[in-house]
């Protein structure tokens, strides 16, 4: 049945669009970019680019603030958008029909499985007609349920053209939340802080951040995050709540544009992990989650070509999955918390050529 409906809609769409384009083509003129030839030379090759002037030199800044786009480029984009709107104007009823067909096949009511974290269970749900989910928690002992973050509310997404939550990070005592959001579509995220008991936000806002690389210290007084630069994760910084963002201390700086960098906490919650990696190599730096202001991350095993490993913690040991010694499918090793450097790694689950870990 769905196939028949789809074929029918396709036929209608093709007929309407061809008819409308034939009509429109008689009186709508598409914008035409001017040719301004520029010659480029690289690697002994010379090429001519007639439209180099449409390349914004400040494109990274314009992603965050479209108002910074050079006026000639902005005018051409607006002309293209106007042309598209005029060409497609007569298809609006069909667009609405297609939209309703798509929505009619989507389960609009959806809900995640509750996840236990300390004295609470956390989950999200999205209801029919909503654009975004709401986030809830239930106190396990009292059974009290509360919505602690509703993305649809006037305070959050309402009034914005774009709203994407990278992550919600809850402090260990469950009184504070850091929420990482992008409201422009630039993929540069802002971090804001909210008191979950009062619902009020702290005044400071951290800009130009990664979407998911952000963690609390154990006592909730500090927040660690990855700052981006030139569309790359560049620095791990530490923010102390209530202090100016400009004073945030740099804990680590990524000196390679070929390595992506992430930030996480171990499952035990006792350590913060800074990981740098590409498609075939990785390295991890370690910091105690209750470290003081002057703590410096220590490396587990320095980056070397072809060596990948991941680390986690429990009790007196760190546990490492690694492909060292040609363990293509990885093996599991452990190292004492007192000195987790590679010389102290002890194999506990050997590599198996037929099973990947």
């Amino acid at each position: 049945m769905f196939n028949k409906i789809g074929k029918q809609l396709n036929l209608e769409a093709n007929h309407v669009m061809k008819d409308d384009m034939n009509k429109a083509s008689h009186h709508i003129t598409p914008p035409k970019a001017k040719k301004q030839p520029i010659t480029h030379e690289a690697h002994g090759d010379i090429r001519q680019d007639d439209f180099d002037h449409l390349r914004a030199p400040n494109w990274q800044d314009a992603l965050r603030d479209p108002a910074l786009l050079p006026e000639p480029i902005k005018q051409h984009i607006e002309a293209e958008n106007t042309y598209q709107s005029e060409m497609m104007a007569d298809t609006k009823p069909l667009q609405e029909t297609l939209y309703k067909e798509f929505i009619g096949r989507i389960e609009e009511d959806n809900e995640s499985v509750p996840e236990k974290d300390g004295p609470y269970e956390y989950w999200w749900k999205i209801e029919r007609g909503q654009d975004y989910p709401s986030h809830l928690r239930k106190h396990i002992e009292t059974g009290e349920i509360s919505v602690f973050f509703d993305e649809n509310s006037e305070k959050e997404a309402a009034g914005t053209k774009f709203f994407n939550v990278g992550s919600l990070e809850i402090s260990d005592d469950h009184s504070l939340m850091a929420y990482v959001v992008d409201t422009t579509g630039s993929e540069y995220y802002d971090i804001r802080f909210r008191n979950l008991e009062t619902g009020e936000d702290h005044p400071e806002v951290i800009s130009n951040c990664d979407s998911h690389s952000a963690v609390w210290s154990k006592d909730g007084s500090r927040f660690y995050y990855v700052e981006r630069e030139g569309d790359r994760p560049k620095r791990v910084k530490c923010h102390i709540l209530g202090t100016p963002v400009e004073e945030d201390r740099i804990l680590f700086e990524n000196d390679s544009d070929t390595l992506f960098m992430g930030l996480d906490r171990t499952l035990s919650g006792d350590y913060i992990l800074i990981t740098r990696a590409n498609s075939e190599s990785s390295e991890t730096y370690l910091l105690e989650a209750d470290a003081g202001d002057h703590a410096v991350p220590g490396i587990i095993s320095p980056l070397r070509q072809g060596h990948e490993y991941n680390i986690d913690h429990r009790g007196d040991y760190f546990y490492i999955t690694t492909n060292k010694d040609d363990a293509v499918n990885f093996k599991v090793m452990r190292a004492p918390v007192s000195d987790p450097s590679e010389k102290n790694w002890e194999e506990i689950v050997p590599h198996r050529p037929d099973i990947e870990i």
Side-chain angles (χ1 to χ4, degrees):
M1 179 180 174
F2 288 165
N3 285 339
K4 289 182 179 179
I5 293 175
K7 288 179 181 177
Q8 181 182 350
L9 287 170
N10 263 334
L11 290 171
E12 290 180 11
N14 288 334
H15 175 74
V16 172
M17 290 178 69
K18 285 180 180 178
D19 185 50
D20 290 339
M21 288 180 72
N22 287 334
K23 292 178 184 176
S25 63
H26 294 297
H27 59 85
I28 300 176
T29 303
K32 193 172 183 179
K34 294 179 180 178
K35 290 185 177 182
Q36 298 179 13
I38 290 180
T39 299
H40 295 278
E41 183 174 353
H43 311 295
D45 180 57
I46 298 175
R47 64 181 178 84
Q48 179 177 303
D49 187 345
D50 292 338
F51 303 103
D52 183 84
H53 61 284
L54 294 178
R55 184 196 309 272
N58 65 336
W59 64 270
Q60 291 175 335
D61 294 328
L63 274 176
R64 283 168 279 183
D65 183 3
L68 298 176
L69 200 64
E71 194 61 30
I73 300 176
K74 183 180 178 182
Q75 289 176 1
H76 184 75
I77 292 174
E78 289 174 346
E80 290 278 6
N81 289 340
T82 300
Y83 173 70
Q84 184 269 341
S85 296
E86 292 176 351
M87 286 290 292
M88 300 292 291
D90 291 341
T91 70
K92 285 185 178 179
L94 176 60
Q95 292 176 35
E96 184 65 26
T97 299
L98 291 171
Y99 175 76
K100 289 177 180 178
E101 288 289 342
F102 295 146
I103 292 297
R105 285 156 176 76
I106 295 174
E107 187 177 350
E108 290 190 76
D109 297 314
N110 201 0
E111 194 166 356
S112 68
V113 176
E115 182 177 341
K116 186 179 183 300
D117 183 6
Y120 290 95
E121 287 183 339
Y122 288 84
W123 74 100
W124 58 262
K125 70 176 182 179
I126 185 166
E127 298 178 346
R128 184 175 295 276
Q130 289 185 333
D131 292 320
Y132 304 101
S134 54
H135 301 264
L136 303 90
R137 68 179 182 179
K138 181 177 78 172
H139 196 282
I140 296 171
E141 187 175 320
T142 66
E144 181 183 356
I145 297 175
S146 61
V147 177
F148 67 91
F149 190 74
D150 183 359
E151 296 184 32
N152 301 280
S153 70
E154 290 290 333
K155 193 173 184 179
E156 318 303 348
T160 64
K161 293 182 178 180
F162 184 90
F163 191 82
N164 182 46
V165 175
S167 63
L168 303 177
E169 303 295 334
I170 308 296
S171 63
D172 287 25
D173 66 0
H174 301 270
S175 67
L176 296 168
M177 174 183 68
Y179 59 104
V180 187
V181 294
D182 174 14
T183 57
T184 65
S186 67
E187 297 186 2
Y188 282 83
Y189 288 76
D190 293 338
I191 300 175
R192 302 172 186 270
F193 302 95
R194 181 165 298 173
N195 186 317
L196 292 178
E197 296 173 356
T198 66
E200 297 299 318
D201 280 1
H202 285 246
E204 62 260 45
V205 178
I206 305 174
S207 300
N208 303 335
C209 300
D210 229 18
S211 59
H212 286 86
S213 295
V215 295
W216 287 98
S217 65
K218 258 191 166 184
D219 64 2
S221 65
R222 296 171 180 81
F223 193 77
Y224 301 89
Y225 62 96
V226 172
E227 181 182 61
R228 294 174 62 128
E229 182 181 290
D231 207 33
R232 291 289 184 184
K234 189 65 176 177
R235 302 173 193 87
V236 175
K237 302 180 81 172
C238 176
H239 176 69
I240 299 175
L241 289 186
T243 66
V245 173
E246 296 75 23
E247 297 178 4
D248 288 358
R249 184 167 72 94
I250 299 173
L251 274 75
F252 184 84
E253 188 146 6
N254 186 8
D255 58 3
S256 172
D257 288 338
T258 67
L259 295 172
F260 285 89
M261 183 167 62
L263 191 63
D264 204 355
R265 270 176 75 175
T266 57
L267 290 173
S268 66
D270 292 337
Y271 294 90
I272 293 169
L273 305 174
I274 302 170
T275 301
R276 296 200 308 165
N278 55 27
S279 60
E280 56 184 18
S281 307
S282 65
E283 67 177 2
T284 298
Y285 293 78
L286 196 67
L287 182 72
E288 292 184 18
D290 57 359
D293 289 345
H294 303 292
V296 178
I299 193 166
I300 300 297
S301 177
L303 188 79
R304 67 176 182 267
Q305 184 67 26
H307 183 213
E308 298 177 76
Y309 68 96
N310 290 289
I311 186 169
D312 216 318
H313 167 256
R314 177 170 176 156
D316 295 329
Y317 292 94
F318 290 107
Y319 292 84
I320 305 111
T321 57
T322 173
N323 68 346
K324 70 175 293 187
D325 302 325
D326 298 319
V328 178
N329 283 336
F330 289 82
K331 58 185 175 180
V332 182
M333 309 187 81
R334 72 177 185 180
V337 167
S338 57
D339 184 3
S341 56
E342 194 172 344
K343 67 179 185 292
N344 292 324
W345 292 9
E346 170 195 4
E347 183 177 284
I348 57 175
V349 179
H351 171 258
R352 289 175 286 183
D354 57 335
I355 296 177
E356 182 179 3
I357 299 176

